[in-house]
Amino acid sequence: MSYAVLKAAGYVLVHTPDMIMHNGTTQTVEKAMNPDSEYLKKVPEHLRTFEEVVNYAPNQTYIGNLTPEALGKLEKPWVGVDVPGSSRDGKFGEIMPQVEFIAMLKLSDVFDLVKLEKSFMDLAKAEYGKNALATPEELARLGEGDSLAMIEELVNVHHAEAIYHDGKLVGCVKKAHDVDVNLNAHVMFENLVVKASGILAFKHLVAKNNIDPLSIDYVIECSEEACGDMNQRGGGNFAKSIAEMGGAVNATGSDLRGFCAAPTHALITAASLVKADTYKNVVIVAGGATAKLGMNGKDHVKKGLPILEDVLGGFALLISENDGSSPVLRTDLVGKHNVGTGSSPQAVITALISMPLDKGNLKVTDIDKYSVEMQNPDITKPAGAGDVPEANYKMIAAIGVKRGELERTQLNEFVEKHGMNGWAPTQGHIPSGVPYAGFAIDDLTTGSLNRAMIVGKGSLFLGRMTNLFDGVSIVVERNSGETASEGASVSKEEINNMIAEAMRGFAAHLLNA
């Protein structure tokens, strides 16, 4: 049976400065607990402009305009240094400004929950209309907007979730049920953000790679939020709602949840479904999480930095049948954190790295690039979490030493050669292995690399059901050109010739017996 391949990728960022203050958990909790907080007063002074967000090196890397190698050559920290030639449009997707994204929130709403003020609607339509992804049908669907007085009443009296732009109230998201807390305005806002950013990533996957959405059979959504009502909290389905808006009318789908590790779980699941010939083309997609906006904002402000968690992240990957050229997803070389593995960082990383290596009789140095928790150190180091990817690479190198495949003196060399600098926003699931997938497609086809490993890790204890960690990994390798795991495909004529040759040999054997 032929292995599935990693066919195409799409990546998007959405600059949402107003959502930091009004929807990021750190800020909303601070407002509730300490409304006169000095931190909250300083937040507006520490917000980046859209131009600053576009010109930021890790963001340019995320959308494909800067390679990981080129990023690694730039002096750190990257914050405050513009990258020459930066663009909001990237090889993999785009960086979208807030006004256009609010228009997408409205387009994502099929229950008339999103209300936008008339003059802002005019602005949103004009700006979104400039986007290459926008269609005349979408612009018509946006409508004319509503009065500010009506929106103020919905927010102040009916507990709608306010939408702000440039510090001004420009709209709201209504609650979807009078008593169901799972359908209150706050949850509906978060879920519509997930859906809209997921749709944006899906659209770029299709547009940037000339994919026919009608060819997509199945969609797996793997973000950190969950949609449902009081009778089926988290029942979903983001996946089909995104497929619907993306024109994938021949697709079905479901949501897969696993905290930060979910995208790698989804990648392995998609590859397995394709390899089993259950579906031919599977898309995994994830939108962003407003709760994570400004998550480390207090530390950034304290150190005089801008609030760097000012973007939502989204991605989409296409996993397809073996085409003889795209990188192969080796579903036989998978690592997993078992229940009995243990929860120390060393135990987790050993399980995820050693297991697939042992299955494939590989050395730690046989993997050209490891993609781990690719979090941007500009964000994590000021918050006291250090350089997360670097810490992971040092542990992988230590595994190599323990296995006798590296000398201790080669640790730093290994990190530099087999590791990468982190460039993903701290959106939980977004950094976990998959940011490199788009680059891996190039590195393992037109580039010089032969193998990569995608590693996803998660913190299951956050759900208060278990103290366990989680994680899975998979090896991705250069395609040999064969379309079956046990050799190249054989034509019917070749099979007939082989049978005839065997029969002649058998007949000769009988004659000589």
Side-chain angles (χ1 to χ4, degrees), residues 49 227 273:
T49 65
C227 59
L273 287 170

Side-chain angles (χ1 to χ4, degrees), residues 18 88 96-104 106-107 116-131 134 139 142-146 163-171:
D18 286 86
R88 66 168 281 183
M96 177 174 272
Q98 183 172 260
V99 62
E100 293 181 36
F101 184 65
I102 294 174
M104 288 200 69
K106 177 65 177 174
L107 290 170
L116 299 180
E117 189 271 329
K118 288 180 180 178
S119 61
F120 177 79
M121 178 67 88
D122 291 338
L123 172 65
K125 270 204 258 189
E127 293 301 312
Y128 182 65
K130 299 173 187 176
N131 195 303
L139 297 177
L142 283 171
E144 300 302 320
D146 297 286
I163 299 174
Y164 293 89
H165 182 67
D166 288 341
K168 299 176 182 176
L169 179 68
V170 297

